[in-house]
Amino acid sequence: MTRNRRFGRVRLILLLTLAALLCLLCLIGPELAPNDPYKVNLLQAKQPPSEKFPLGTDGFGRCVLSRILVGARTSVFSALLVVGITLTVGCVIGTLCGYFGGAVDTIFMRLVDIFLAFPGMVLALAVAGMLGTGLGNAVIALAATGWPQYARLARSYVLTLREENFVYAARLNGQSTWSILLRHILPNALRPLIVTASLSIGGTILGLAGLSFLGLGALPPAAEWGSMLSDGRGLMQQAPWIVLYPGLTIFLTVVLFNLLGDSVRDALAPADDTHLFRKVRPRFKKKGTPTL
Amino acid sequence: MENSLRPDRGSLGRFVLRRLLLLIPVLFGVTFLTYGLMFLSPSDPVEMMLQAQGIPVTPEVAQAMRVKMGLDRPFLEQYFAWLWRFLSGDMGVSLIDGEPVRQMLMAAAPKTLLLTATSLLVTVALSLPLGILTAVRQNRFSDYLIRFLSFLGNAMPCFLLSLLLLYLFALRLNLLPVLAGGGAKGLILPTLALSLPMSGRYIRQVRAAVLEQLGQRYVSGAISRGVRTRTVLFKSVLRNAMTTILTLLALSMGSLLGGTAAVERIFSWRGMGYMVMDAIFMRDYPVIQAFVVWMTVLYVVINLLTDLSYAIVDPRSRKGLGVQP
């Protein structure tokens, strides 16, 4: 292991730990909130950061820190959900299309063409707008925008993998189609897809916050980072902290996930490795062989 | 046999034709999806329309309206009728105030196109030189600094940047107007808010593309033969990196179409994004449909032009595009 690789490993582990901590924070956020994030108290509106309200209060006198902590779950987990959905749906469709081909492949790939013809945000706006406001609809909108890319990627990887010798060998072994797909094709195709997915987490958080900012995501009074910014923008001159702290939170979260994405890419698809997929050896082959 | 003498032009024409023919099913799909989305919506357009016009909604009135609007006919029939009207330039009227959608689009489109054009220009003006600079000065201080800044820019939501710029330049320093209004001065902040995050993304990609070219043998060959670095950089490297840069341009157009909505809202820039957000909140379906279809058509055309420009910039790519040599 070269020095660079080792540095990459350490960085990846560090970032994964940070991301895990963030997720933990999302889970226990409501417990940590110093104040009730929904309690409206107009007498305490627009207060600057103080001991009682560490990040100040918003236009309704609600504690900004508490709202950020409670909103974390909505903002981060919904984005992860979107990435999970797009990855799964795209992967299943792409793999099946690539492996079996035929009419289903043609139909789905034309559908992918159509979806990819829309500019991303326009499709998301259209779906979210037609379905109506709400976090669930925003998630659906972003997932509808994201899956075709994964489907196309997965299909192209599977098309190459399908012709590999180890797949022929498995078939000659008498393995069932499903076993070939799950044990040989999918593990190999998944690696570059996971890279793509991890690179897209940051962008998805931004997209979701953007939809919320526009009023198409979480409904008030629910706390969500994007909508907190939107709520506070009229008050920016008097109380900039209402906008500043949620904005900073979004920014730092995206920075973290972008760094993580880069790190995952470097770890799974090193630049010196011309093949994006190094063969993943099937588990049952021999004990003691490294799996990567 | 004239063709064989000028193979380029003939095959390029065929390529354009083929691409145009391939667009037909895609555009059918796009319009079908866009129209079909309305039927997924939980609220009834007839009710929305009647309420917006202040007419009390009774079942009889609603039914009469539905017949009048053709909403009682089967879905496919409605779709084709709508598509036919759309193609002949009639995009319907707004459900809210009865204004023709065509007129609304005509008023909003120039503003969005202007904003898109300036943002694109600034993005290119920033990311191209900086991307080249960072590639040439790889692993030097300026490289690290610009890469660091571009990384931050990439993570910056454009609505947050808009608010920060607004706070700094309009509220604190009083240099620029809060509302864009329409003048040139009002264009500065929205343009910056859109182009800075985008530049952040593209500096890194230009850098990667140029670095890849710099590692090629022809570069060391040219330099060892005494060709000036500058000549190599601008005559050979940039030309070879051009396909990446063109892809970038197309991609940034794609993210700007529709991506301007938040910025337009913040600066009250009354373009298409502003219009469609109003339409979404009022459930003004004809406006939303027209917006989605036109934005997509624009995007599809841009992608087509990008593919064409590959063929012009880099003759090698014609093979990959399915053009006969």
Side-chain angles (χ1 to χ4, degrees):
Chain A
M1 198 188 268
T2 62
R3 213 171 136 216
N4 244 340
R5 285 289 294 275
R6 191 174 303 153
F7 175 69
R9 274 289 144 83
V10 171
R11 202 174 81 137
L12 179 64
I13 290 168
L14 190 74
L15 288 167
L16 275 176
T17 319
L18 278 175
L21 277 177
L22 181 72
C23 289
L24 188 69
L25 199 68
C26 296
L27 279 177
I28 61 166
E31 315 294 324
L32 296 176
N35 298 295
D36 182 355
Y38 300 112
K39 196 176 164 222
V40 173
N41 183 354
L42 291 175
L43 289 176
Q44 287 179 324
K46 292 178 273 184
Q47 286 202 355
S50 62
E51 211 160 289
K52 182 152 192 291
F53 302 107
L55 299 181
T57 60
D58 69 2
F60 293 104
R62 296 174 297 194
C63 172
V64 172
L65 176 62
S66 306
R67 285 180 72 74
I68 289 178
L69 283 170
V70 172
R73 199 185 288 184
T74 323
S75 299
V76 176
F77 283 176
S78 319
L80 291 178
L81 183 68
V82 170
V83 176
I85 294 173
T86 48
L87 181 64
T88 316
V89 172
C91 211
V92 168
I93 291 177
T95 310
L96 295 181
C97 284
Y99 194 74
F100 293 110
V104 179
D105 178 34
T106 315
I107 291 171
F108 269 110
M109 282 308 119
R110 290 297 80 78
L111 199 62
V112 163
D113 284 344
I114 290 166
F115 269 87
L116 287 177
F118 290 99
M121 247 336 240
V122 170
L123 184 62
L125 279 180
V127 174
M130 291 290 187
L131 292 179
T133 51
L135 191 67
N137 290 339
V139 168
I140 295 174
L142 286 179
T145 322
W147 74 271
Q149 184 201 351
Y150 290 93
R152 190 174 262 186
L153 271 176
R155 177 177 177 271
S156 73
Y157 295 138
V158 171
L159 276 181
T160 332
L161 288 167
R162 192 174 67 173
E163 309 296 330
E164 290 277 356
N165 276 333
F166 64 84
V167 174
Y168 286 131
R171 213 175 288 155
L172 288 174
N173 253 342
Q175 287 191 33
S176 71
T177 309
W178 292 112
S179 145
I180 293 174
L181 272 177
L182 288 177
R183 283 190 164 153
H184 298 272
I185 305 256
L186 207 56
N188 282 302
L190 212 52
R191 181 203 278 281
L193 286 173
I194 285 176
V195 172
T196 315
S198 59
L199 283 171
S200 71
I201 296 175
T204 310
I205 294 177
L206 283 184
L208 206 63
L211 284 181
S212 284
F213 181 83
L214 286 168
L216 292 174
L219 294 169
E224 201 276 343
W225 297 345
S227 51
M228 285 174 76
L229 249 89
S230 173
D231 290 344
R233 72 187 163 114
L235 304 166
M236 220 169 37
Q237 195 155 20
Q238 314 150 41
W241 54 87
I242 304 178
V243 164
L244 221 54
Y245 291 117
L248 201 65
T249 318
I250 297 177
F251 178 63
L252 289 178
T253 311
V254 176
V255 165
L256 171 63
F257 278 110
N258 280 353
L259 282 172
L260 182 66
D262 283 354
S263 221
V264 168
R265 182 197 52 204
D266 293 346
L268 290 185
D272 53 299
D273 197 350
T274 41
H275 279 284
L276 204 47
F277 10 80
R278 283 178 299 166
K279 311 249 154 41
V280 178
R281 295 209 179 89
R283 288 261 164 74
F284 51 83
K285 240 185 168 179
K286 207 171 151 198
K287 273 185 186 163
T289 40
T291 40
L292 283 183
Chain B
M1 280 289 102
E2 209 181 15
N3 241 357
S4 61
L5 289 173
R6 309 177 69 180
D8 278 13
R9 190 162 294 179
S11 54
L12 211 59
R14 210 175 307 153
F15 166 67
V16 177
L17 194 72
R18 241 182 66 180
R19 281 294 313 259
L20 283 174
L21 286 177
L22 277 175
L23 282 186
I24 295 173
V26 169
L27 288 179
F28 255 109
V30 164
T31 49
F32 188 79
L33 264 181
T34 311
Y35 192 73
L37 264 178
M38 193 176 88
F39 289 81
L40 287 177
S41 168
S43 62
D44 181 7
V46 172
E47 243 167 70
M48 291 302 301
M49 184 172 168
L50 292 174
Q51 270 169 11
Q53 294 172 357
I55 303 169
V57 188
T58 61
E60 296 83 48
V61 176
Q63 189 54 37
M65 200 67 202
R66 216 163 268 143
V67 173
K68 193 182 154 204
M69 289 167 72
L71 289 174
D72 57 335
R73 277 178 282 162
F75 173 72
L76 274 181
E77 203 183 316
Q78 282 186 53
Y79 164 67
F80 281 110
W82 170 80
L83 187 65
W84 181 247
R85 271 183 281 125
F86 203 94
L87 285 177
S88 54
D90 172 18
M91 287 165 244
V93 292
S94 161
L95 295 183
I96 307 305
D97 50 14
E99 197 186 341
V101 175
R102 191 189 152 95
Q103 215 170 306
M104 295 171 74
L105 273 181
M106 290 297 216
K111 295 209 129 194
T112 293
L113 290 181
L114 178 67
L115 186 59
T116 309
T118 51
S119 310
L120 210 60
L121 221 65
V122 174
T123 305
V124 174
L126 277 176
S127 48
L128 204 55
L130 289 181
I132 297 169
L133 183 78
T134 48
V136 174
R137 321 210 79 201
Q138 193 192 1
N139 294 335
R140 304 269 281 274
F141 177 72
S142 51
D143 178 30
Y144 284 123
L145 181 72
I146 294 170
R147 270 165 69 196
F148 178 70
L149 290 179
S150 73
F151 190 86
L152 294 188
N154 187 21
M156 179 68 93
C158 63
F159 49 91
L160 176 60
L161 187 59
S162 308
L163 292 177
L164 291 178
L165 288 171
L166 203 62
Y167 182 66
L168 190 66
F169 288 103
L171 296 179
R172 275 287 127 109
L173 301 175
N174 265 327
L175 286 176
L176 295 162
V178 175
L179 300 179
K185 245 187 166 179
L187 193 58
I188 299 174
L189 289 184
T191 303
L192 282 180
L194 284 169
S195 52
L196 289 182
M198 254 186 352
S199 309
R201 207 163 315 143
Y202 296 141
I203 286 172
R204 304 173 78 197
Q205 299 194 12
V206 171
R207 178 179 179 272
V210 173
L211 267 184
E212 197 202 322
Q213 289 301 322
L214 284 178
Q216 303 275 329
R217 281 197 185 159
Y218 74 86
V219 174
S220 31
I223 288 176
S224 64
R225 269 182 281 120
V227 183
R228 277 198 313 180
T229 321
R230 195 182 299 163
T231 318
V232 179
L233 195 62
F234 289 103
K235 288 251 162 92
S236 318
V237 169
L238 257 193
R239 189 175 167 133
N240 277 305
M242 210 58 199
T243 37
T244 316
I245 292 159
L246 285 170
T247 316
L248 278 176
L249 273 178
L251 278 177
S252 51
M253 277 299 275
S255 61
L256 276 174
L257 298 173
T260 57
V263 173
E264 284 185 12
R265 287 304 273 195
I266 292 172
F267 292 98
S268 297
W269 184 262
R270 297 190 172 266
M272 313 249 297
Y274 196 96
M275 180 192 78
V276 79
M277 288 316 297
D278 272 348
I280 284 173
F281 291 128
M282 307 286 248
R283 314 216 140 261
D284 198 346
Y285 298 112
V287 179
I288 307 178
Q289 285 164 346
F291 168 81
V292 174
V293 171
W294 280 117
M295 284 298 197
T296 309
V297 168
L298 194 60
Y299 187 48
V300 165
V301 170
I302 289 165
N303 276 331
L304 177 69
L305 290 179
T306 316
D307 279 0
L308 276 184
S309 60
Y310 291 156
I312 293 163
V313 170
D314 185 358
R316 286 171 304 180
S317 71
R318 282 175 209 175
K319 251 187 205 161
L321 290 169
V323 182
Q324 270 123 39

